[in-house]
Amino acid sequence: MEVRGLRAGYGSNEVLKGVTARFLEKAVTAIIGPSGCGKSTLVRCLNRMHETAPGTTMSGQVVLYGRDVLSLDPVVLRRHVGMVFQRPNPFPNMSIFDNVASGLVLNGIAGGRSELEGRVEASLRQASLWDEVKDRLRRSALGLSGGQQQRLCIARALAVSPNVLLLDEPCSALDPIATARIEELVLELKKQLTIVIVTHNMQQAARVSDFTAFMLLGELVEFSATGTIFTKPSDKRTEDYVTGRFG
Amino acid sequence: MSAEALARPENRPALKAIPVAGPREQAGDRLFRWSLLLFALSVVVLAGLVAWKLIAGSLMTWKAFGWRFLFSSAWDPVNDKFGALPFIYGTLVSSALALLLALPLGAGSAIFLAELAPRRVSDVCTFLIELLAAVPSVILGLIGIFALAPFLSAVEPWLTKRLGFLPLFQGAPYGVGMLAAGIILALMILPYITIVSREVLLGVPRPLKEGVLALGATRWEMVTRVSLPYSAPGIAGAVFLSLGRALGETMAVTMVIGNTPKISASLFQPGYTMAAVIANELAEAVSDLHLQSLIAIGLTLFGVTILVNAAARLMLLRLSKRHS
Ligand SMILES: Nc1ncnc2c1ncn2[C@@H]1O[C@H](COP(=O)(O)OP(=O)(O)OP(=O)(O)O)[C@@H](O)[C@H]1O
Ligand SMILES: [Mg+2]
């Protein structure tokens, strides 16, 4: 997956000012940068979520497997490019089970009842939520804690087995143990798919990612192998940021 | 004072000096609570007063006919025979018909206005619909008499030919009748249902909609799986209000329903409603029993409205329980 000269904004406020980057297959790319620099906006452009909000603008190219995503049906695109949002958003009118099953049902993936149950369990296990919810799958998803809701949303995105997974600060509401499990999951998943993960946690970026993109005020300052970014960055601003000398 | 100076213990206020709750605030809170309680109670008292007045004014009827008043179809002021059944029937059927017509139409337009139409188009349409809500019912009645009734009397024979095997569509095509009343009532409540439903749909949090879109849902799937279930209680609220309005509507219904106290299975036939008969006959009620029977009908209308609302609420409660 690739972006070329991507510009995006809200009304007259341009947030991304020409970003070019390549997210390699079967690799984890971390996006770091100060709050408000456009990380979420960039990620939301990748599955064309950005354009669903009123008043948004976008130009430049987003390419998936050699095809401009604008030429694809957004519904099909999003089925293949899964997303976990910065804030957990479980469906309040559905049970825990139905939340995870929703993507499968929508896309007509699971055939029978038992296959559906199997896939839901597998996804919940992957998101390391199964043990906590296996006795209350039929209860409302709103009865879960914030961190559990976040993992539920991860399970929901995993259930449809996407080719690309966009994770927008997936661990912001998680305790260290759950965070470690999600990181393990990311490392496990990257054997099969492309992962883009936004994070404010430098150690996390260093632990899970193969490549790191550093963004500042809507521009991509530096993009290289994670080891390079954290040990000998070529840009002064990157160095200041990763060493914590930067606001 | 610098931050360090503020942090020094001698510069912090002594614990004793921090009031737990100021006496002034406490008094204010109390005043606020009691006055709110008073307002809330006044609504209950008002409803009680209305009920009491209606009961006191209709004692003669209840003594003369008892419960049979509610189940009798006789309405014969000359011979002092009174029964409320045709009016109850007319009220319920015309309102149900109105709801049946207005709910899909209103919810459909609301979905269009909230989810599909560009914001500006949506706002202009909403303004026009709000104007529709401001049309006085007597005007709607006039439209009913001069436009709807002639139209219906032209259409009804056609319906009879196609669907005449159903008792609903049999009989002479008068134009005025139960169907006309239902349509006029639907016109009347349509703006409420549409506007409130649109507002509720617009209130569905964006993250939820994005969540389902990100899973590969089409817009239609987003509406049916997330937006509508989320808004159901709000839309139900609009329906309750509209139902109350339809049950009690007097003027427009009187003008188009035909004012005949008969129960007929056909929607083409004239009927009568509780509100309409009170408005039509109160001024010329000859005997005391006639007058008291009209008040008894008023009490019945009051009761029916409460019952219908309670039933609808109970249904909603069941529904939401099944969900969670
Ligand atoms: N819906 C919106 N409408 C208008 N402006 C927005 C909207 N969402 C984001 N912005 C603006 O776009 C800029 C980038 O926002 P974005 O959410 O991409 O930042 P971010 O890098 O993800 O920050 P954080 O780390 O805090 O999540 C911000 O300045 C913000 O004010
Ligand atoms: Mg963000």
Side-chain angles (χ1 to χ4, degrees), chain A residues 44 47 49 52-54 75 78-79 81-83 85 89-94 102-103 105-107 138 156-157, chain B residues 119 205-219 221-222 224-230 322-324:
Chain A
R44 290 165 56 87
N47 65 346
M49 219 53 233
T52 63
V75 171
R78 291 177 196 135
R79 152 81 183 78
V81 183
M83 175 164 199
F85 293 81
N89 55 352
F91 305 131
N93 52 302
M94 294 183 198
S102 53
V105 175
L106 274 173
N107 295 294
R138 296 281 154 212
R156 191 173 70 185
Chain B
R119 192 56 196 254
R206 268 210 69 79
L208 289 184
K209 298 193 201 169
E210 290 185 348
V212 74
L213 285 178
L215 287 173
T218 61
R219 256 192 215 227
E221 287 164 336
M222 175 189 89
T224 52
R225 276 161 202 276
V226 171
S227 299
L228 278 181
Y230 187 88
R322 184 143 27 103
H323 254 302
S324 59

Side-chain angles (χ1 to χ4, degrees), chain A residues 6 12-13 24 29 37 53 83 85 90 94 103 109 119 149-150 179 190 199 202 208 216 218-219 222 224:
Chain A
L6 182 67
S12 58
N13 173 22
L24 285 188
T29 307
C37 69
M83 175 164 199
F85 293 81
M94 294 183 198
I109 295 174
R119 279 178 178 258
Q149 290 185 8
Q150 183 73 287
T179 302
K190 87 167 183 184
T199 177
M202 299 302 141
V208 301
L216 196 59
E219 284 175 57
E222 192 166 349
S224 37

Side-chain angles (χ1 to χ4, degrees), chain A residues 145-168:
Chain A
S145 76
Q148 290 172 328
Q149 290 185 8
Q150 183 73 287
R151 278 176 282 157
L152 182 69
C153 293
I154 293 174
R156 191 173 70 185
L158 288 175
V160 295
S161 36
N163 300 74
V164 180
L165 187 60
L166 312 172
L167 301 165
D168 195 349

Side-chain angles (χ1 to χ4, degrees), chain A residues 10 15 34-41 86 169 200:
Chain A
Y10 303 88
V15 174
S35 194
C37 69
K39 303 182 296 293
S40 296
T41 308
Q86 187 162 359
E169 298 186 36
H200 279 291

Side-chain angles (χ1 to χ4, degrees), chain B:
Chain B
M1 220 185 282
S2 72
E4 295 106 84
L6 268 177
R8 245 176 271 136
E10 64 268 27
N11 286 336
R12 272 183 248 144
L15 210 48
K16 277 197 302 256
I18 303 174
V20 175
R24 202 169 49 89
E25 278 151 301
Q26 272 188 344
D29 281 353
R30 219 172 285 145
L31 188 71
F32 192 54
R33 172 139 43 101
W34 287 112
S35 52
L36 285 187
L37 186 67
L38 207 69
F39 294 152
L41 276 181
S42 67
V43 177
V44 179
V45 169
L46 213 62
L49 229 59
V50 169
W52 181 68
K53 261 289 176 204
L54 288 172
I55 293 170
S58 59
L59 278 179
M60 224 166 142
T61 297
W62 301 116
K63 276 200 195 111
F65 305 110
W67 286 109
R68 267 174 307 142
F69 177 72
L70 296 178
F71 304 106
S72 152
S73 300
W75 188 263
D76 187 358
V78 182
N79 295 315
D80 261 353
K81 284 234 159 54
F82 299 102
L85 196 61
F87 308 101
I88 298 176
Y89 175 82
T91 299
L92 289 178
V93 170
S94 59
S95 297
L97 202 58
L99 209 59
L100 217 64
L101 294 172
L103 183 59
L105 215 60
S109 344
I111 292 173
F112 171 75
L113 292 173
E115 305 283 359
L116 301 175
R119 192 56 196 254
R120 200 161 313 152
V121 175
S122 169
D123 284 345
V124 170
C125 286
T126 305
F127 177 71
L128 293 176
I129 295 170
E130 272 164 9
L131 282 187
L132 190 62
V135 174
S137 57
V138 71
I139 305 283
L140 281 176
L142 282 177
I143 295 173
I145 290 178
F146 291 116
L148 184 65
F151 172 75
L152 282 180
S153 58
V155 170
E156 283 170 1
W158 184 86
L159 274 173
T160 308
K161 213 163 18 158
R162 310 284 138 113
L163 298 164
F165 56 89
L166 292 170
L168 286 177
F169 303 107
Q170 287 168 356
Y174 292 118
V176 294
M178 202 59 98
L179 186 60
I183 293 176
I184 286 293
L185 279 177
L187 269 183
M188 195 172 269
I189 62 177
L190 185 62
Y192 290 94
I193 295 188
T194 309
I195 289 171
V196 176
S197 304
R198 169 184 178 261
E199 218 52 52
V200 177
L201 283 170
L202 284 178
V204 178
R206 268 210 69 79
L208 289 184
K209 298 193 201 169
E210 290 185 348
V212 74
L213 285 178
L215 287 173
T218 61
R219 256 192 215 227
W220 173 244
E221 287 164 336
M222 175 189 89
V223 168
T224 52
R225 276 161 202 276
V226 171
S227 299
L228 278 181
Y230 187 88
S231 335
I235 295 176
V239 168
F240 293 156
L241 278 178
S242 309
L243 199 58
R245 174 116 207 258
L247 289 170
E249 172 54 34
T250 311
M251 196 35 138
V253 171
T254 309
M255 290 166 83
V256 298
I257 201 169
N259 298 331
T260 310
K262 280 215 185 83
I263 295 178
S264 160
S266 170
L267 296 179
F268 300 164
Q269 298 309 301
Y272 221 152
T273 68
M274 292 188 262
V277 73
I278 296 172
N280 281 334
E281 296 190 4
L282 196 61
E284 54 215 42
V286 268
S287 65
D288 278 349
L289 190 62
H290 189 187
L291 182 70
Q292 297 236 341
S293 296
L294 287 172
I295 298 177
I297 290 217
L299 181 65
T300 312
L301 176 57
F302 192 65
V304 165
T305 311
I306 292 175
L307 274 182
V308 167
N309 259 301
R313 240 160 246 279
L314 208 70
M315 208 171 69
L316 188 74
L317 211 69
R318 284 262 170 80
L319 227 71
S320 62
K321 267 224 189 90
R322 184 143 27 103
H323 254 302
S324 59

Side-chain angles (χ1 to χ4, degrees), chain A residues 202-213:
Chain A
M202 299 302 141
Q203 287 82 29
Q204 181 168 69
R207 278 193 300 262
V208 301
S209 71
D210 305 296
F211 299 93
T212 298

Side-chain angles (χ1 to χ4, degrees), chain A residues 45-58:
Chain A
C45 285
L46 297 181
N47 65 346
R48 292 182 61 181
M49 219 53 233
H50 182 64
E51 69 188 35
T52 63
T56 51
T57 58
M58 183 183 140

